[in-house]
Amino acid sequence: QNIGPEGRAFLPWVFTAFMFILFSNWIGPMPLAIVGPHPFTLTSQFTVTGILSLTSFAIVLAVGFWKHGLHFFSLFVPHGTPWYMVPLIAPIEFISFIVRPFSLALRLFVAMIAGHILMEVFASFIVSAGSAGFTGGLVGILSFAFIAFVVALELLMCVIQAYVFALLTTLYLNDAINLH
């Protein structure tokens, strides 16, 4: 819908990326370590998110140059920009375009790793609280409640981050296909 009728050609990539990110995100917060080794969230590794975002960016570049040729560079000069502003606007637009894959990868990576770090902090409170007496027991119970809340929040963030990745990919493809 963000790209228009020409976007149907990219639905397999966008859907595959969405599902891969969603299920990769959901593996991490699941309490599977009770019966075996604890799996980790694939998207908490910057290499994985980097490859996904570079693949999306490569598709955007390929589509842009295939459809528009060298006219694709007009993406860096918005329509209606006065001629005297082009030397200032074009480099800014170019830098913002080049930063897209890094920001796409970093956004997903940071969101997934932050939930894990937060759960580890609260888990360390539970372990430490065990030897602190009655007050420590209260802190441990409160920390356990926070972990349950963080896990629920992280499950929601898994869906949101997969959606944001897919949405931004379609918006970037829209820029490449329609050039403003």
Side-chain angles (χ1 to χ4, degrees):
Q1 183 178 2
N2 291 324
I3 305 171
E6 296 176 28
R8 291 190 152 267
F10 307 104
L11 183 63
W13 165 248
V14 173
F15 182 74
T16 301
F18 174 81
M19 295 306 287
F20 176 78
I21 292 168
L22 180 64
F23 286 108
S24 295
N25 289 349
W26 274 347
I27 287 172
M30 296 299 162
L32 301 174
I34 295 170
V35 294
H38 185 68
F40 68 95
T41 304
L42 288 174
T43 51
S44 67
Q45 306 297 315
F46 189 71
T47 306
V48 174
T49 61
I51 294 297
L52 285 170
S53 66
L54 285 175
T55 303
S56 290
F57 192 66
I59 292 170
V60 167
L61 287 175
V63 167
F65 282 115
W66 175 69
K67 185 164 171 85
H68 302 289
L70 293 178
H71 186 64
F72 180 64
F73 289 115
S74 70
L75 181 67
F76 305 130
V77 181
H79 182 69
T81 303
W83 64 269
Y84 54 88
M85 292 295 291
V86 170
L88 178 67
I89 298 294
I92 292 171
E93 289 288 327
F94 179 74
I95 290 170
S96 73
F97 184 78
I98 293 299
V99 170
R100 285 179 177 181
F102 181 72
S103 68
L104 197 59
L106 192 64
R107 178 183 296 111
L108 180 57
F109 165 72
V110 167
M112 292 300 101
I113 201 77
H116 292 350
I117 291 171
L118 196 57
M119 284 193 296
E120 284 192 29
V121 167
F122 286 130
S124 71
F125 288 165
I126 292 172
V127 171
S128 298
S131 62
F134 178 74
T135 307
L138 291 176
V139 169
I141 291 170
L142 188 60
S143 295
F144 185 78
F146 280 143
I147 285 178
F149 174 74
V150 168
V151 168
L153 186 63
E154 193 168 358
L155 290 173
L156 177 64
M157 284 302 296
C158 292
V159 176
I160 291 171
Q161 288 303 316
Y163 174 73
V164 166
F165 190 94
L167 177 67
L168 288 175
T169 299
T170 58
L171 292 175
Y172 297 160
L173 281 167
N174 180 43
D175 286 347
I177 290 172
N178 299 319
L179 290 182
H180 295 291

